[in-house]
Amino acid sequence: MSASDTAPIHEVPAELHAQFERVWALLLREPKEAHDLALQIERAGRIAGDAHATLLGELLSLAVRSRMAHDPAEVADEARRIHAALGAIGDEGNAARCIVIEANALADLERRRDAIALVEASLPAARRLLGPPDLGRLLNSYGAIHVDEGCHAEAVSAWYEALEHLSAIAPTPVFAMVTLNIGVMYMRFGNFAAAEPHLREAFELIQRQGLTAVVNVCAGNLGNNLLQLGRANEACQFLEALAPDVQRDYDLREYAFFLTIRAEALCALGRLAESRACLEQVEALGPECMDLQNKHYLRIAWMRQMRREGRADEAVAALRKAEADPMHIEDPGYELQFLLEAAQIMELVGDYREAYRYARQHHMYAIEMNREFQRADFMSLHTRYEVHKTLVDRDFEVRMRHEAEAAHAEIAELNAQLEARVAEIEALQGSLREQAIRDPLTGVYNRRFLQELLPAELARCARDGSDFCLCLIDADHFKRVNDSFGHQVGDTVLKALGGSLLALEASGIVVARFGGEEFCVVLPNFDRHRSMALLESLRADFSNKPEILAISPDFKVSFSGGIAELTADIHQHPRAVEQLIARADAALYAAKRAGRNRIVQASELPREGQA
């Protein structure tokens, strides 16, 4: 079915109409042939003095040129002119086809909000005038523009609406493009396992339908996804097999993307000379192939290349340059790869603090993107439900009753899925909240949670008049552990200490990592005597844990602690939390000075030693 099946082209001779539709169908399959035929239609229209035929030829030619190296401002102006001229002669169907060209050009000009507004204003008429392939094309671009604007849920909704319309007809090039974009969306959120079947389906459809214009971008994304899944050898074999046949003279941006991913695959296999040659080939293509996405991924590829070649200083310099010039684009996949590569570069130069900072940012951003993905997935399910319901309602009167009942049963199933997804998302949000307040290494709460908890706990104790103690614990000689046995053993000590403290949570005690090797233990309803007895017992048991004894027979690993009890003078202090922590810290410092491996109470210190 073509657009003319639902919106007949006004006053177009049958022969010209057939020519136009044949060329329109070639846009993604054989762009060069489509361009030549478009020029023939345009010339024939001019010779015959047929303004309508001339406009149709110009529309076809513009559709091809808009995907090649072009001036987007010129394309937007031309699309707007043709749209107005076709509308003026009553050809609303083909006028609606101009919208997607203008919207894509506006997006290339970084005017994405204008592009979104244009499509939104045109969609009601487009749903009436366009058949599934052209409506799907418009919705596909609408979704892609939303992605670049950072509106992922809206993008997924647009794509699934397109699929609902396209599923009623035989597979088309647009169906392949929408499937590709959904796969890329899964990649952007780091869900590479879910992305693979969509990307493979899109690639098979593209090959089956001979869509040479989009082979590069589809192959590049599938290869990149295989790399992210850790299957570098498979990715390299796949890309190397395609390399002799990829098109470099249609859309240089997509060819540059293919080469960049090919370089990444070669680099991952240690074929560094070949990967460097690929990256240099991309740069030689010139600035016309460097859209924002290509600039971002080429930047990461060069950083990774330098790191693997051992050029640490150059890799750090490239990292700092990238941070100073962020070239804003909403691409979670790029952000995640950038942070991970930054962590690896910092690890290479031995700056473990910076490496941990980048790794931590990567972890938190991945959690945030997971949450955004769940929201987008929920929106897509809701959109499929709404679109399907609309289609069922629209066709209800012409369908047999048993078909209508079957469709409503499907809606009920979608409703059940929607309810199940809501419950799943609520459970996931609870899990994500727990991850956000826990230290990933030790499993205890983090300092952010502690800062939220302490003021409320002190206020409660003030109301109830109940006991309250706080203890700061610090692993003894921790730097010596790291220096002598390595950071992995240091992590083992922290995990063991965190595990011992974590067991206290069953008694209503709260444990948080305070910083580095220091932990904070919050003991509600504990006076200083009970607190001392509990922590002395814990201290005595800690050094005899099997994982601690296994570190070295000649090196005893222990911890020291300082206990501060909540007293009336702290209650009355305007900065009670800081005062309580300061007293516990003073007691901890006294324990360290007294030889370590002991617990000291703040109440035992001389008055002038208190905070």
Side-chain angles (χ1 to χ4, degrees):
M1 182 185 293
S2 69
S4 57
D5 293 324
T6 57
I9 299 178
H10 296 278
E11 300 178 11
V12 180
E15 184 179 352
L16 176 60
H17 171 58
Q19 283 182 323
F20 180 89
E21 292 298 329
R22 184 167 71 87
V23 178
W24 190 258
L26 286 173
L27 290 176
L28 290 176
R29 291 189 175 94
E30 294 295 338
K32 291 181 181 178
E33 183 181 352
H35 188 252
D36 293 341
L37 292 173
L39 292 177
Q40 291 177 24
I41 293 174
E42 183 181 343
R43 280 196 297 268
R46 293 188 189 281
I47 292 171
D50 186 341
H52 199 171
T54 302
L55 284 170
L56 293 180
E58 290 175 341
L59 171 57
L60 289 168
S61 178
L62 183 65
V64 177
R65 286 189 291 114
S66 68
R67 289 186 53 82
M68 303 172 73
H70 62 280
D71 178 356
E74 179 184 328
V75 169
D77 290 341
E78 186 73 358
R80 202 175 297 117
R81 179 189 67 80
I82 296 172
H83 177 270
L86 287 171
I89 61 175
D91 190 354
E92 294 183 347
N94 281 315
R97 282 170 158 168
C98 297
I99 299 299
V100 68
I101 300 174
E102 183 182 352
N104 287 334
L106 290 173
D108 287 343
L109 290 167
E110 302 297 321
R111 294 171 54 190
R112 290 186 288 269
R113 292 187 182 275
D114 291 340
I116 289 170
L118 172 66
V119 177
E120 286 176 347
S122 307
L123 269 176
R127 290 188 175 102
R128 174 174 54 86
L129 294 167
L130 299 178
D134 287 307
L135 180 57
R137 189 191 305 269
L138 181 61
L139 289 167
N140 182 51
S141 290
Y142 185 50
I145 296 167
H146 268 301
V147 165
D148 289 338
E149 191 63 14
C151 304
H152 305 106
E154 292 80 358
V156 174
S157 295
W159 288 333
Y160 274 110
E161 181 183 350
L163 288 183
E164 287 289 341
H165 292 291
L166 293 167
S167 62
I169 61 175
T172 65
V174 180
F175 189 91
M177 292 299 295
V178 176
T179 304
L180 170 62
N181 277 333
I182 291 174
V184 172
M185 173 62 75
Y186 277 106
M187 286 182 63
R188 290 170 76 97
F189 287 109
N191 198 337
F192 303 111
E196 184 176 0
H198 292 281
L199 296 174
R200 288 196 181 279
E201 180 184 5
F203 187 74
E204 289 170 7
L205 286 169
I206 286 167
Q207 286 196 311
R208 194 182 309 143
Q209 297 178 35
L211 307 181
T212 56
V214 290
V215 167
N216 289 349
V217 68
C218 187
N221 279 297
L222 180 53
N224 190 23
N225 195 70
L226 292 171
L227 281 174
Q228 303 309 316
L229 287 168
R231 291 149 61 185
N233 193 53
E234 183 180 349
C236 193
Q237 289 177 359
F238 169 73
L239 296 171
E240 291 290 277
L242 287 174
D245 301 319
V246 295
Q247 299 289 322
R248 64 159 290 161
D249 53 355
Y250 178 58
D251 189 331
L252 282 177
R253 295 171 301 180
E254 294 177 357
Y255 180 65
F257 177 69
F258 176 88
L259 286 178
T260 301
I261 301 305
R262 183 184 174 198
E264 290 274 49
L266 291 166
C267 183
L269 294 179
R271 295 162 61 179
L272 300 181
E274 293 170 80
S275 62
R276 170 172 284 276
C278 272
L279 295 178
E280 291 171 348
Q281 189 178 353
V282 173
E283 294 192 330
L285 292 174
E288 61 268 27
C289 74
M290 286 291 108
D291 60 11
L292 274 180
Q293 185 182 51
N294 278 344
K295 287 179 182 178
H296 279 76
Y297 281 90
L298 183 62
R299 170 186 281 176
I300 289 182
W302 271 119
M303 287 165 53
R304 192 171 284 124
Q305 177 81 20
M306 294 170 186
R307 175 175 60 81
R308 287 182 171 268
E309 289 176 344
R311 295 155 57 200
D313 291 342
E314 292 179 62
V316 172
L319 170 60
R320 298 308 180 205
K321 182 180 178 181
E323 290 178 320
D325 180 21
M327 295 191 298
H328 177 70
I329 185 173
E330 291 289 344
D331 188 343
Y334 165 77
E335 295 291 342
L336 288 169
Q337 286 195 51
F338 180 86
L339 290 170
L340 187 59
E341 182 59 30
Q344 292 175 325
I345 289 172
M346 289 297 103
E347 184 180 16
L348 175 66
V349 299
D351 192 341
Y352 297 106
R353 183 181 296 276
E354 276 291 276
Y356 174 79
R357 183 174 69 83
Y358 283 118
R360 179 68 174 167
Q361 288 179 8
H362 176 272
H363 174 73
M364 298 306 295
Y365 192 68
I367 291 174
E368 180 184 341
M369 287 304 99
N370 198 323
R371 186 185 299 116
E372 177 68 10
F373 169 75
Q374 292 296 329
R375 189 175 79 88
D377 206 23
F378 170 81
M379 286 289 291
S380 74
L381 185 60
H382 182 70
T383 299
R384 279 179 280 174
Y385 164 73
E386 291 295 334
V387 172
H388 190 79
K389 183 176 184 298
T390 300
L391 293 175
V392 169
D393 291 344
R394 182 188 301 167
D395 298 338
F396 183 77
E397 293 181 2
V398 297
R399 291 184 180 181
M400 296 176 64
R401 182 168 296 277
H402 72 275
E403 290 178 337
E405 291 173 352
H408 281 296
E410 186 174 350
I411 290 172
E413 176 64 22
L414 285 171
N415 255 331
Q417 291 181 27
L418 190 62
E419 291 174 3
R421 183 55 57 88
V422 169
E424 181 183 334
I425 290 172
E426 288 175 348
L428 178 63
Q429 287 175 336
S431 174
L432 290 174
R433 164 64 180 164
E434 186 68 11
Q435 290 180 39
I437 61 176
R438 290 281 184 179
D439 174 59
L441 178 66
T442 62
V444 301
Y445 290 107
N446 57 27
R447 187 164 183 166
R448 174 185 171 187
F449 176 78
L450 181 69
Q451 289 171 335
E452 294 174 357
L453 172 76
L454 282 176
E457 279 296 305
L458 265 61
R460 182 189 62 79
C461 290
R463 290 193 307 271
D464 300 347
S466 55
D467 293 324
F468 185 91
C469 281
L470 182 142
C471 178
L472 289 181
I473 286 176
D474 187 87
D476 293 331
H477 299 297
F478 187 70
K479 184 178 184 304
R480 191 186 304 172
V481 172
N482 277 335
D483 292 344
S484 301
F485 305 104
H487 288 276
Q488 286 187 338
V489 172
D491 286 351
T492 298
V493 171
L494 293 178
K495 288 177 184 177
L497 183 51
S500 296
L501 296 170
L502 197 60
L504 302 178
E505 289 190 355
S507 305
I509 296 169
V510 177
V511 180
R513 190 170 177 185
F514 200 63
E517 67 272 22
E518 198 169 3
F519 294 81
C520 181
V521 183
V522 179
L523 300 122
N525 303 315
F526 273 68
D527 62 16
R528 56 193 175 86
H529 302 294
R530 284 185 65 202
S531 300
M532 187 70 173
L534 177 67
L535 292 169
E536 278 290 1
S537 174
L538 191 72
R539 182 189 61 78
D541 293 340
F542 174 70
S543 297
N544 295 317
K545 290 174 72 75
E547 60 268 40
I548 297 301
L549 292 173
I551 292 174
S552 171
D554 302 320
F555 188 91
K556 184 175 182 179
V557 179
S558 60
F559 70 79
S560 301
I563 298 173
E565 188 174 29
L566 184 62
T567 56
D569 61 316
I570 294 179
H571 263 313
Q572 296 164 5
H573 199 282
R575 301 173 71 177
V577 172
E578 294 180 16
Q579 286 294 303
L580 187 64
I581 291 174
R583 291 194 183 181
D585 192 53
L588 172 61
Y589 184 62
K592 293 285 188 180
R593 285 188 303 174
R596 296 180 172 80
N597 193 19
R598 67 194 65 227
I599 308 296
V600 171
Q601 296 187 29
S603 60
E604 298 173 353
L605 301 178
R607 189 63 186 174
E608 59 273 17
Q610 296 184 7

